Amino acid sequence: MDDTQLGELTAANPELAALRDEALSAVAAAVGGDALEQVRVHFLGRKSRLTAILRSIPTLPPEQRPVVGRLGNVVRVELEALVEARAAELAGASLRQSLAGERLDVTLPGQLFPLGHEHLISQTIREVEDIFLGLGYKVAEGPEIETTYYNFTALNTPEEHPARALSDTFYIDLASVTGTSGGAQGTVGDLLLRTQTSPVQVRTMESREPPVYVICPGKTYRPDLDATHTPMFHQVEGLAVDENITMADLKGTLHYFAREFFGADRLIRLRPHYFPFTEPSVEVDVQCLLCGGAGCRSCKNSGWLEILGAGMVDPNVYGFVGYDAERLQGFAFGMGVERMAMLKHGIPDARSLYENDLRFLEQF
Ligand code: PHE
């Protein structure tokens, strides 16, 4: 509204001119969106003085009507534009303010998260794997849920063998898993949590042509819990099948392994033993790590610590996998990873490996 219009308005309707003045300063003074909205409603809303004045034009003296009608609208449009401009101004200010408040200093040092590391059992498996990878072995894996066929039968384990007993093996009751009752599915029998990694021997020979040189690390399960047993534990199985393999190869391989794993100068000894799937079978001891063979409490004064089971693959096993038992020979061995870690690091109780106490785990 220019000065001429203002003069005209003041002369015709001083109240409207004063109202305009008041509204101009109120809009300029409004801080924040809410306050501005209140000002808008007060001066431009349906119940505002301005609206009342514009509505009352027909009742004004005739000479005022055209002036107030024309200039009243100018005031309304002028105020609306002003409110809009002020709203934009306020929005810009609040954006600038929040940006300033949230300014990020990318040069500040970041928050440090505690870094974990591999569990001792994983480290030990890796260590064993590395030793055999260095000898040209490949890593093979198999399922933790097995059938009795792979865990026992194809490993030449007779029906009456005690390892098959309910008390020594976790069988899977399919009915409790699938919700079906009775019938063949409900009977205890075919599925189990593997008690050893040896079924991977069978699976490997089924799927590969000889020669075979594999190690098979993985989880295994047996219903035992005491200072040297946990119901879930780990084994690393080894299998070598080729022509002209003898027990001397088994002994040399395990001696090399023992020295790499436990330290140079370690002697091992082989004692006769029995496993269904090897013939002959042996248990392998390493010279006591604490007393070096002199005899102490840790080795029950024998000077030796048992580390694994092994033997020459029983020709019956080749029959199950379709290998030529006349042409091939091989050896297999299997070690408990918890046991190896406990011996190497002097851990007295296997259960501490799975209690997740960081004070324990951080030592390794
Ligand atoms: N699977 C046997 C066990 O768990 C160990 C073993 C593996 C023995 C391979 C001989 C050959 O006791």
Side-chain angles (χ1 to χ4, degrees):
M1 173 166 282
D2 58 32
D3 286 351
T4 335
Q5 289 174 315
L6 188 55
E8 213 180 332
L9 180 64
T10 312
N13 192 322
E15 189 201 348
L16 188 50
L19 194 64
R20 174 182 174 270
D21 239 30
E22 208 185 311
L24 290 187
S25 23
V27 171
V31 174
D34 291 348
L36 182 64
E37 177 61 10
Q38 274 173 28
V39 170
R40 190 189 66 77
V41 171
H42 181 73
F43 289 99
L44 289 163
R46 273 188 300 120
K47 292 176 185 155
S48 65
R49 270 308 285 146
L50 178 63
T51 306
I53 291 172
L54 293 176
R55 279 209 191 113
S56 70
I57 291 175
T59 66
L60 292 178
E63 69 282 4
Q64 280 192 25
R65 285 182 209 160
V67 186
V68 175
R70 183 165 43 86
L71 295 180
N73 254 330
V74 174
V75 171
R76 194 170 54 79
V77 172
E78 185 187 26
L79 283 180
E80 276 168 3
L82 214 71
V83 167
E84 212 169 291
R86 180 69 183 148
E89 197 178 301
L90 289 173
S94 92
L95 180 64
R96 275 192 301 280
Q97 195 182 9
S98 64
L99 282 181
E102 288 161 18
R103 187 175 296 148
L104 194 69
D105 184 349
V106 293
T107 66
L108 283 174
Q111 257 182 42
L112 290 182
F113 291 97
L115 273 188
H117 67 278
E118 260 190 336
H119 191 277
L120 177 60
I121 291 302
S122 304
Q123 290 179 40
T124 308
I125 290 175
R126 193 175 298 263
E127 221 176 312
V128 175
E129 277 175 4
D130 283 349
I131 294 171
F132 284 100
L133 289 177
L135 290 176
Y137 284 65
K138 298 260 185 301
V139 176
E141 286 183 335
E144 288 169 34
I145 295 178
E146 265 297 7
T147 59
T148 49
Y149 177 79
Y150 283 108
N151 196 78
F152 294 125
T153 310
L155 285 163
N156 199 37
T157 311
E159 286 299 329
E160 65 284 359
H161 193 280
R164 290 186 184 244
L166 284 176
S167 55
D168 285 335
T169 299
F170 287 114
Y171 286 95
I172 295 174
D173 175 7
L174 261 190
S176 70
V177 182
T178 60
T180 55
S181 60
Q185 278 200 319
T187 54
V188 167
D190 202 41
L191 286 184
L192 46 76
L193 296 181
R194 67 180 178 191
T195 60
Q196 49 188 354
T197 40
S198 307
V200 189
Q201 287 183 35
V202 180
R203 289 181 176 276
T204 303
M205 287 190 279
E206 270 182 353
S207 63
R208 295 185 202 186
E209 290 299 318
V212 160
Y213 291 87
V214 290
I215 45 163
C216 319
K219 289 187 169 62
T220 45
Y221 303 85
R222 288 180 204 176
D224 292 320
L225 183 60
D226 59 35
T228 50
H229 299 87
T230 52
M232 186 276 299
F233 60 107
H234 298 77
Q235 288 190 337
V236 177
E237 189 88 3
L239 174 69
V241 180
D242 206 337
E243 290 177 5
N244 302 317
I245 297 248
T246 72
M247 197 139 180
D249 297 310
L250 170 62
K251 191 170 181 181
T253 303
L254 292 179
H255 191 198
Y256 171 79
F257 166 72
R259 280 175 296 169
E260 288 291 306
F261 189 83
F262 290 114
D265 307 332
R266 283 291 137 202
L267 293 183
I268 60 167
R269 73 172 183 187
L270 275 52
R271 283 180 288 108
H273 197 72
Y274 169 80
F275 295 105
F277 39 90
T278 45
E279 181 61 35
S281 300
V282 291
E283 270 189 335
V284 180
D285 300 335
V286 66
Q287 251 177 341
C288 180
L289 302 163
L290 283 185
C291 65
C296 67
R297 238 183 57 176
S298 159
C299 58
K300 300 201 184 84
N301 278 320
S302 71
W304 297 93
L305 298 166
E306 181 202 324
I307 54 168
L308 52 84
M312 302 307 290
V313 178
D314 191 306
N316 287 347
V317 175
Y318 297 134
F320 282 100
V321 300
Y323 271 18
D324 181 353
E326 293 300 317
R327 185 171 68 86
L328 299 165
Q329 304 82 40
F331 60 76
F333 54 88
M335 66 187 87
V337 179
E338 281 75 3
R339 182 167 177 77
M340 302 295 280
M342 288 167 74
L343 290 176
K344 185 163 178 166
H345 300 280
I347 298 167
D349 193 322
R351 291 167 293 198
S352 43
L353 289 164
Y354 298 113
E355 281 164 357
N356 288 339
D357 185 335
L358 286 180
R359 292 169 303 179
F360 171 79
L361 293 175
E362 277 170 350
Q363 299 176 74
F364 309 105

